[in-house]
Amino acid sequence: MRYLPLTADDRAAMLGVIGATSVDDLFVDVPAEARLSGPIAGLPLHANELAVERHMTRLASQNLSAGSAPFFLGAGAYRHHIPASVDHLIQRGEFLTAYTPYQPEIAQGTLQVLFEFQTQVARLLGTDIANASMYDGSTACWEAILMAGRITRKSRAVLSGGLHPHYAQVVKTMARFTGDTIDARLPELSAEADDAAVIDAIDADTSCVVVQYPDILGRIPDLGAIAAAAQAKGALLIAVVTEPVALGLIEAPGNLGADIVVGEGQSLGVGLQFGGPYLGLFGCREKFVRQMPGRLCGQTVDAEGKRGFVLTLSTREQHIRREKATSNICTNSGLCALAFSIHMTLLGGEGLARLARINHARAQAMVARLAKVPGVSCLNMTYFNEVTLLLPQDAREVVRVLSDRGVLGGVSLGRLYPSVEGLANGLLVTATETVTDEDIETFATELAGVLA
């Protein structure tokens, strides 16, 4: 997008219309100490377009990008192959420019896409219904906690130690404005210990238990046992899925007793994109549908008996009175939802299962090779495509040196959990279908060199 600056006459005309004498008048409410007193040191006052492009390109070349190095990062955002047809289709004008379908009679294509997206998500998550998407996984997690509070009329949420710490932080931030009590656990080295700690924390005042599946350390918690314990105390189980490809191989959370299932849909159809925009998934039991946030598209027939699509449920404040709204989400991730749906359609059920098997096989090959590096061990042997390695030294420095050597070698758990001493040497590594044998060998060789 080109930036076309205003002329002095343009500025004067605009200031005259609003009754301001200068641009400075627009900033009178900003404290003086927060304003710049002059030009930024080292930054030229102006440069031509070609010079700016070259400068930004030089800066960008200092990054080690996902496609230019062996890539073993995960922790909630995953690198998968996205078929070229996905981007080709979502860039069609009727999809790329579509917004909220306020008038269903002229938004049938958009509504049908969302209806099919809901069907795919509900089947994937094992829930009765799914909405037409949320912003991302972390905000979907918070909306699920709010929803559980409305259903149970309680305001205490228990967060498993295996929940992504960024998700937990979003929940804590939002709870400051609602008064909800958040009991957030820190992770244990044992998945069984994490499950037991969550179950022990459930009491009569608990509205919900939030468990990630697979969890932040790559382990697969016992959702069935947690669901039974939660529901025995009148609480709901919220399952969080950050890697939906895993559900091509492991049982869907809804089938294991989860009342609400939320997650991040980025893995299917949506690239890493420097951290966003991403795609929130949200499904639940049918009996809770009227407390579900966001929008729900439904299928019906028109006056002539022809199939049509409508917004069956719109519980956001843009559609209904604010005091009646269950959510203030002002839009959904429609284009990302479309990309997800196209990718899912291209894969189909068998394709998703095959993709999941490939991911698990790549992870197994990675673990087998890295376990041969002196001093390296695996925290647990039950995982999907992501697993925690234990190193003989602090993983934060190891990650930095690996990056200097041209390998994006995982996420340091010490960075995610600086207060948990037992995780300082933990390295979370991920292998998707994009990881080759050569990548694994390069990683193992460089890791051995760093640890030597």
Side-chain angles (χ1 to χ4, degrees):
M1 182 181 294
R2 297 294 190 228
Y3 170 65
L4 302 177
L6 300 172
T7 66
D9 290 342
D10 291 334
R11 292 193 187 91
M14 295 169 71
L15 290 168
V17 169
I18 63 175
T21 58
S22 70
V23 172
D24 291 338
D25 292 347
L26 306 179
F27 301 96
V28 293
D29 293 322
V30 179
E33 61 272 17
R35 303 183 216 166
L36 286 173
S37 58
I40 299 175
L43 189 68
L45 293 177
H46 61 84
N48 63 53
E49 186 175 334
L50 181 59
V52 172
E53 287 180 352
R54 286 177 173 172
H55 178 69
M56 298 305 291
T57 300
R58 283 195 298 270
L59 292 178
S61 68
Q62 297 177 38
N63 292 327
L64 185 59
S65 64
S68 63
F71 187 89
F72 297 89
L73 301 178
Y78 303 91
R79 182 175 180 236
H80 290 283
H81 171 69
I82 300 174
S85 49
V86 174
D87 285 341
H88 176 75
L89 290 172
I90 68 172
Q91 290 180 57
R92 287 182 61 94
E94 56 266 53
F95 290 136
L96 193 61
T97 61
Y99 185 57
T100 302
Y102 289 114
Q103 295 176 278
E105 63 274 11
I106 60 172
Q108 287 297 293
T110 298
L111 289 167
Q112 181 171 351
V113 163
L114 294 177
F115 179 80
E116 293 176 357
F117 166 82
Q118 292 169 177
T119 303
Q120 291 171 326
V121 172
R123 291 181 177 178
L124 185 68
L125 303 182
T127 57
D128 297 329
I129 54 173
N131 71 11
S133 83
M134 309 289 278
Y135 280 138
D136 60 17
S138 63
T139 49
C141 178
W142 167 245
E143 290 286 350
I145 291 172
L146 279 182
M147 176 177 165
R150 292 191 296 269
I151 293 169
T152 64
R153 300 187 182 278
K154 303 174 185 178
S155 58
R156 178 178 179 268
V158 176
L159 310 187
S160 164
L163 178 66
H164 196 303
H166 295 171
Y167 283 48
Q169 190 58 54
V170 168
V171 169
K172 292 175 185 176
T173 298
M174 298 303 292
R176 289 167 48 201
F177 305 99
T178 63
D180 286 71
T181 300
I182 306 300
D183 183 355
R185 316 262 102 186
L186 288 173
E188 305 280 350
L189 291 180
S190 160
E192 292 76 17
D194 266 332
D195 291 353
V198 165
I199 290 173
D200 289 344
I202 305 171
D203 61 22
D205 297 321
T206 302
S207 67
C208 61
V209 180
V210 183
V211 180
Q212 185 170 317
Y213 175 82
D215 73 10
I216 186 60
L217 303 186
R219 307 165 306 184
I220 302 175
D222 186 351
L223 286 188
I226 299 172
Q231 290 152 11
K233 295 287 182 66
L236 304 184
L237 172 60
I238 299 171
V240 177
V241 179
T242 63
E243 171 54 299
V245 175
L247 300 182
L249 196 58
I250 62 176
E251 188 64 76
N255 297 339
L256 296 174
D259 300 288
I260 304 172
V261 185
V262 299
E264 174 56 64
Q266 172 270 324
S267 281
L268 292 167
V270 183
L272 290 169
Q273 300 179 169
F274 303 101
Y278 282 174
L279 167 67
L281 309 178
F282 198 110
C284 67
R285 298 184 187 276
E286 187 173 5
K287 65 181 179 180
F288 300 142
V289 63
R290 292 197 173 275
Q291 293 298 334
M292 185 172 65
R295 302 195 297 244
L296 187 66
C297 295
Q299 178 178 280
T300 185
V301 294
D302 63 14
E304 298 178 354
K306 297 178 181 177
R307 184 177 71 157
F309 298 91
V310 296
L311 283 179
T312 303
L313 188 69
S314 296
T315 57
R316 63 191 191 137
E317 61 185 39
Q318 269 188 299
H319 285 101
I320 61 178
R321 292 194 304 275
R322 176 171 296 182
E323 63 272 15
K324 296 288 187 180
T326 61
S327 170
N328 66 353
I329 286 180
C330 61
T331 189
N332 68 328
S333 300
L335 196 65
C336 293
L338 173 62
F340 176 100
S341 190
I342 293 172
H343 197 173
M344 281 285 287
T345 301
L346 291 171
L347 286 170
E350 292 183 5
L352 179 64
R354 182 169 179 267
L355 177 61
R357 288 194 296 270
I358 293 171
N359 271 248
H360 184 53
R362 291 285 76 202
Q364 287 180 305
M366 174 186 66
V367 169
R369 179 63 183 90
L370 295 179
K372 295 178 181 178
V373 176
V376 175
S377 61
C378 188
L379 177 64
N380 65 289
M381 297 308 295
T382 303
Y383 55 85
F384 172 59
N385 66 0
E386 190 163 34
V387 65
T388 296
L389 302 179
L390 298 178
L391 308 183
Q393 64 188 71
D394 193 306
R396 281 169 283 201
E397 183 59 27
V398 173
V399 168
R400 283 192 288 268
V401 177
L402 283 173
S403 177
D404 292 339
R405 295 187 176 200
V407 176
L408 293 169
V411 176
S412 163
L413 292 177
R415 183 168 70 83
L416 293 180
Y417 297 100
S419 64
V420 182
E421 186 176 343
L423 293 179
N425 292 8
L427 181 64
L428 185 65
V429 291
T430 306
T432 70
E433 75 281 2
T434 64
V435 168
T436 65
D437 290 338
E438 182 181 1
D439 292 336
I440 294 172
E441 187 59 36
T442 299
F443 185 13
T445 300
E446 295 298 339
L447 180 60
V450 174
L451 298 178

